[in-house]
């Protein structure tokens, strides 16, 4: 039996006090409690972005080159920190503690482009998980206006990013059940299955339900009707290999395997919504933001379609 260590030893939570951010804190508390013996710390991060600068820039003499040397600017910034930012982070910290989080909780403030700062600090701090809320922007708005979630996902490496929408529904006593694991045979997909197994092991007392899903792309089937049986066998093997990972990790619970045909983002999203899954945990292929824009990606396609499940995307 393979013994897997808890994969989320450091958890970063970008926090702005919005309802979706509070939902993300609730989910992060679940992660911290599941791996309480292994989690080193949880960090609440507030990045001060351009909106704050825009509100106060008229109070600063722009002829001065270094804004941090302007007395008025320093006073405004310190007031903002003392009366708005720090109380907000302390609110998030109290919420985590009320949810039973006993590991060390840090608060941190940064300034800059929000998505880039979140990613930079996550890399520098060796965080293995980012848990963030999303505002529910449509795909069109994300393309033209930009999205912090999209930025973080496009820059993520060697970590799992959990995206928690305001409508996400999960039971704090068994927050991962039912768990949907879309698989494709890639190493990020296999790692997602391993992480799912560890989470399920940590919650074995509540007997979580897991579903392995492999979607054969309709384009492959229609282009190779003569090889359809081969494609089906390949899909069955991927499902069997993924199930073996769960067994090797020691998860003896209920596991369902499903093989479907269609467009992967649509099929996965429909399964997630219709099956009322608490968590969808899947691997990412690591496409650049430009490639995702041009080619699309399964994970971003699922994110755009699913509102009631937490989406976890594993990046290697």
């Amino acid at each position: 039996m393979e013994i897997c260590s808890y994969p989320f030893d450091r958890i970063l939570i970008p926090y702005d006090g919005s309802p979706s951010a509070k939902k993300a804190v609730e989910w992060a508390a679940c992660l911290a409690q599941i791996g309480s013996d292994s989690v080193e710390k949880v960090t609440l991060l507030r990045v001060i972005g351009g909106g704050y600068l825009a509100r106060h820039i008229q109070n600063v003499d722009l002829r001065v080159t270094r804004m941090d040397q302007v007395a008025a600017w320093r006073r405004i910034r310190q007031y903002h920190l003392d009366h708005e930012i720090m109380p907000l982070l302390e609110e998030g910290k109290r919420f985590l503690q009320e949810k039973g989080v006993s590991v060390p909780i840090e608060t941190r403030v940064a300034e800059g482009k929000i998505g880039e700062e979140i990613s930079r600090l996550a890399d520098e701090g060796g965080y293995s998980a980012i848990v963030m809320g999303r505002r529910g922007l449509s795909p069109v708005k994300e393309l033209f206006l930009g999205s912090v979630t999209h930025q973080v996902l496009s820059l993520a490496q060697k970590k799992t990013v959990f995206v928690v929408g305001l409508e996400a529904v999960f039971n704090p006593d068994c927050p991962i059940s039912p768990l949907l694991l879309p698989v494709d045979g890639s190493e990020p997909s296999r790692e997602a299955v391993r992480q799912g197994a560890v989470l399920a092991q940590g919650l074995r007392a509540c007997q979580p339900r897991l579903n392995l899903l492999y979607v054969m792309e309709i384009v492959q089937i229609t282009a190779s009707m003569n090889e359809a049986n081969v494609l089906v066998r390949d899909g069955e093997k991927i499902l069997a290999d993924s199930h073996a990972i769960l067994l090797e990790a020691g998860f003896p619970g209920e596991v369902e395997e499903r093989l479907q045909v269609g467009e992967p983002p649509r099929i996965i999203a429909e399964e997630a919504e219709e099956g009322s899954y608490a968590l969808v945990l899947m691997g990412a292929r690591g496409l650049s933001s430009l490639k995702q824009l041009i080619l699309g990606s399964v994970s971003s396609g699922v994110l755009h379609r699913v509102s009631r499940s937490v989406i976890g995307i594993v990046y290697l």
Side-chain angles (χ1 to χ4, degrees):
M1 180 187 300
E2 181 182 351
I3 300 177
C4 300
S5 60
Y6 193 69
F8 313 121
D9 56 346
R10 296 186 177 189
I11 303 171
L12 181 66
I13 313 167
Y15 187 70
D16 62 5
S18 65
S20 59
K22 291 178 180 178
K23 197 78 173 181
V25 168
E26 186 178 355
W27 173 256
C30 295
L31 282 184
Q33 288 178 295
I34 295 170
S36 58
D37 294 335
S38 303
V39 177
E40 297 175 7
K41 64 178 178 179
V42 175
T43 301
L44 289 156
L45 170 66
R46 178 71 168 105
V47 179
I48 302 173
Y52 163 69
L53 295 174
R55 288 195 302 273
H56 297 290
I57 197 71
Q58 67 269 22
N59 299 316
V60 176
D61 185 350
L62 295 180
R63 293 171 296 178
V64 180
T65 56
R66 285 183 57 89
M67 293 182 66
D68 59 353
Q69 294 177 353
V70 180
W73 175 259
R74 289 200 301 270
R75 287 196 300 271
I76 292 168
R77 182 183 182 278
Q78 193 60 50
Y79 183 90
H80 185 58
L81 285 172
D82 293 342
H83 293 82
E84 298 181 41
I85 299 298
M86 296 314 299
L88 189 72
L89 292 174
E90 288 300 317
E91 170 194 84
K93 185 175 181 178
R94 285 194 301 272
F95 187 73
L96 286 168
Q97 292 169 336
E98 290 168 1
K99 291 294 181 180
V101 176
S102 57
V103 303
I105 302 171
E106 295 182 347
T107 59
R108 185 164 183 180
V109 180
E111 296 182 42
K113 294 183 178 179
I114 298 176
E116 292 179 6
E117 280 298 295
I118 293 170
S119 299
R120 182 183 68 81
L121 294 171
D123 291 341
E124 289 183 359
Y127 289 89
S128 50
I130 300 175
V131 182
M132 57 193 305
R134 65 168 174 177
R135 301 289 180 89
L137 291 178
S138 69
V140 173
K141 287 183 179 179
E142 285 195 351
L143 288 179
F144 288 99
L145 301 179
S147 157
V148 172
T149 303
H150 181 75
Q151 282 183 307
V152 172
L153 292 175
S154 66
L155 295 171
Q157 291 182 332
K158 298 180 180 179
K159 58 181 60 65
T160 300
V161 181
F162 292 94
V163 181
V164 187
L166 187 57
E167 298 177 30
V169 178
F170 53 87
N171 177 2
D173 295 327
C174 200
I176 70 163
S177 185
L179 167 59
L180 180 61
L181 294 165
V183 295
D184 61 12
S186 66
E187 187 51 38
S189 171
R190 293 170 63 84
E191 178 59 25
V193 175
R194 294 187 193 101
Q195 292 185 9
V198 175
L199 290 171
Q201 276 287 75
L203 292 166
R204 57 187 178 277
C206 70
Q207 300 180 326
R209 292 189 296 110
L210 277 63
N211 186 358
L212 294 166
L213 173 65
Y214 178 76
V215 182
M216 296 169 49
E217 294 197 51
I218 188 67
V219 175
Q220 291 180 305
I221 297 295
T222 55
S224 307
M225 290 300 293
N226 294 333
E227 300 180 12
N229 290 335
V230 175
L231 295 173
V232 170
R233 286 197 297 271
D234 288 344
E236 290 175 338
K237 184 178 186 305
I238 289 172
L239 287 169
D241 290 345
S242 300
H243 199 160
I245 292 173
L246 295 174
L247 295 176
E248 288 168 6
F251 178 69
E254 180 183 346
V255 179
E256 182 181 351
E257 297 180 18
R258 300 187 65 181
L259 189 154
Q260 296 191 24
V261 178
E263 299 175 10
R266 181 179 62 80
I267 296 296
I268 294 168
E270 288 177 356
E271 177 68 23
E273 295 283 275
E274 293 172 6
S276 299
Y277 285 87
L279 172 63
V280 179
L281 187 58
M282 58 195 301
R285 293 297 185 92
L287 294 177
S288 68
S289 55
L290 178 60
K291 288 182 179 178
Q292 286 188 11
L293 178 63
I294 297 172
L295 303 176
S297 82
V298 173
S299 55
S300 63
V302 171
L303 272 171
H304 290 320
R305 290 174 170 88
V306 176
S307 60
R308 294 175 60 82
S309 304
V310 176
I311 308 295
I313 305 174
V314 180
Y315 292 86
L316 296 183

